[in-house]
Amino acid sequence: RETTPTTTTSLHGYIPDGFTKESYAKFQKAEAAKKAKKNLGRVGPKGFKSRSFQSFQEALERGEAEHLLPVMNAKERVKKG
């Protein structure tokens, strides 16, 4: 049985032109620290609160909410009951 020779491969990381390995590592660390301070998760929608239909009805009864869509023929519908 023949054995195939094993070859070793060396993995090279990307280092931009003008950087040494150490200076690029230092730069990456500084960029990661800046990114951690930004808190990008807070940029999402603001002021939206999901609620149940029951809480909406209770808010209507308290006068804190209004109907969100106009009702067609509202006066006639109220008269009919």
Side-chain angles (χ1 to χ4, degrees):
R1 175 167 127 159
E2 289 184 37
T3 59
T4 57
T6 58
T7 59
T8 58
T9 58
S10 60
L11 300 175
H12 298 283
Y14 172 74
I15 299 176
D17 192 32
F19 280 106
T20 64
K21 186 176 182 179
E22 294 79 22
S23 65
Y24 187 55
K26 183 179 178 183
F27 175 77
Q28 284 180 314
K29 191 174 184 179
E31 288 294 309
K34 273 197 257 181
K35 186 177 177 183
K37 290 180 186 177
K38 286 187 178 182
N39 189 12
L40 297 176
R42 69 182 173 85
V43 181
K46 298 188 183 345
F48 177 77
K49 181 181 176 187
S50 179
R51 61 183 182 184
S52 67
F53 187 72
Q54 181 180 355
S55 69
F56 174 71
Q57 285 180 321
E58 290 170 357
L60 278 175
E61 292 169 359
R62 289 190 303 263
E64 298 173 355
E66 297 178 7
H67 285 285
L68 303 177
L69 298 173
V71 177
M72 303 298 283
N73 305 325
K75 290 182 182 179
E76 290 83 11
R77 288 185 176 191
V78 170
K79 286 179 186 178
K80 287 182 183 178

